[in-house]
Amino acid sequence: MNKLQVIDLFGIIKRSYPGFDASPLNVEHFAKYLQDFPYETACENVEKYILTERFAPTIADIRGKLGDQMDSQRSKDAAAAHFANLDVWGAENIPPPAGYWERGRRLLRGEVDA
């Protein structure tokens, strides 16, 4: 979703929640967290939300369950790629690439990998 689509989405929200903050600063904030999210799905989620909720939606409300599903799919894809690499390394009887074990240790310590 791009900024123009966020602005359009804010129009839908503002019509049902007149007190909603549709300022340029809030557009930037929402756009940052919705850039990887499909606009059509966001609109559907907002329209469903409006039917039952009294307060304006948050980013999490706009992302809805699909956001959880997309994050889960990304994790599954990363795990599948990792296991495919392990299979290749095992079949070729070669050690993992340089830095592999250190990167794993950093991840276990909770350090962010760039």
Side-chain angles (χ1 to χ4, degrees):
M1 181 180 320
N2 61 45
K3 287 182 189 175
L4 290 176
Q5 292 171 322
V6 171
I7 291 169
D8 186 51
L9 191 64
F10 275 22
I12 295 168
I13 296 169
K14 190 78 171 164
R15 282 190 288 281
S16 295
Y17 303 97
F20 180 72
D21 176 14
S23 68
L25 185 63
N26 213 25
V27 168
E28 291 290 329
H29 178 71
F30 273 63
K32 176 181 176 181
Y33 295 103
L34 295 172
Q35 65 185 351
D36 65 335
F37 198 76
Y39 171 72
E40 295 77 19
T41 304
C43 287
E44 290 172 15
N45 289 348
V46 166
E47 288 173 7
K48 289 176 187 174
Y49 182 91
I50 287 171
L51 295 174
T52 59
E53 302 297 330
R54 294 177 35 200
F55 300 102
T58 64
I59 293 167
D61 296 323
I62 293 170
R63 292 183 71 91
K65 298 289 184 211
L66 182 61
D68 293 339
Q69 293 171 356
M70 290 172 65
D71 290 340
S72 175
Q73 187 59 46
R74 281 189 205 110
S75 294
K76 289 177 184 176
D77 293 343
H82 175 72
F83 285 116
N85 283 336
L86 290 176
D87 290 341
V88 169
W89 297 330
E92 295 175 357
N93 199 22
I94 58 173
Y100 175 81
W101 295 112
E102 181 53 38
R103 181 175 183 270
R105 288 183 195 98
R106 285 195 314 269
L107 288 172
L108 287 174
R109 289 192 300 261
E111 297 173 9
V112 177
D113 201 39

